[in-house]
Amino acid sequence: MSSNIRISKNCEFCGTEYIAKTTKTRYCSHTCNRRAYKANLKKKKVEGAMKEVKTNRNSKELEVLTYKDFLNVKETALLLGCSTRTVYRLIQDGSIKAVNLSQRLIRINKKSLNSIIPQA
């Protein structure tokens, strides 16, 4: 059963204009269809890998942070769940007490974070 429908569309992969014979057609050719399919698979694979790496890294880092008494700015940001810039701002405001040992060497006592995050 053939259709007499002719719709002018743009290919979702390459962007060229083509005449579609059905309303569900998304690509101008089989080649664009294959390339879009492979690009979509690659994108999903990369996103899944990045998500897995991020969760594994964060859980391992958080586990290590439970044993440390003094944290650097990056570790404090990970523990608080905020950016490093926010931690610097909290230090500057005086909300978090920190010790500047030298340039780029700021250490924060974990006990001083109890004022921000009360322990249950």
Side-chain angles (χ1 to χ4, degrees):
M1 183 172 184
S2 66
S3 160
N4 292 333
I5 299 173
R6 302 285 187 255
I7 303 168
S8 179
K9 285 186 156 186
N10 288 330
C11 179
E12 289 183 15
F13 185 74
C14 66
T16 59
E17 191 172 323
Y18 68 99
I19 303 296
K21 295 181 182 178
T22 66
T23 58
K24 293 185 177 185
T25 306
R26 296 171 56 193
Y27 306 104
C28 63
S29 65
H30 184 63
T31 305
C32 281
N33 188 2
R34 283 187 311 199
R35 289 178 180 167
Y37 176 76
K38 287 182 181 181
N40 193 20
L41 284 180
K42 184 178 180 181
K43 181 181 172 186
K44 286 182 181 178
K45 191 174 184 181
V46 168
E47 286 174 357
M50 291 299 290
K51 187 184 214 182
E52 184 178 319
V53 165
K54 199 174 195 179
T55 56
N56 286 344
R57 185 183 320 143
N58 285 348
S59 62
K60 287 178 185 176
E61 288 178 357
L62 285 173
E63 187 176 312
V64 170
L65 294 180
T66 58
Y67 300 110
K68 285 184 159 184
D69 290 332
F70 293 95
L71 307 172
N72 62 22
V73 174
K74 187 176 180 181
E75 293 168 343
T76 305
L78 182 65
L79 192 64
L80 295 176
C82 63
S83 68
T84 55
R85 185 68 203 132
T86 303
V87 174
Y88 283 118
R89 196 175 313 116
L90 290 170
I91 291 170
Q92 191 174 17
D93 292 346
S95 301
I96 298 177
K97 293 181 182 177
V99 176
N100 191 3
L101 299 174
S102 68
Q103 189 176 8
R104 297 186 186 193
L105 194 59
I106 297 174
R107 294 295 177 250
I108 300 155
N109 191 346
K110 195 189 292 186
K111 292 178 184 176
S112 71
L113 296 178
N114 289 338
S115 62
I116 294 180
I117 303 176
Q119 298 290 328

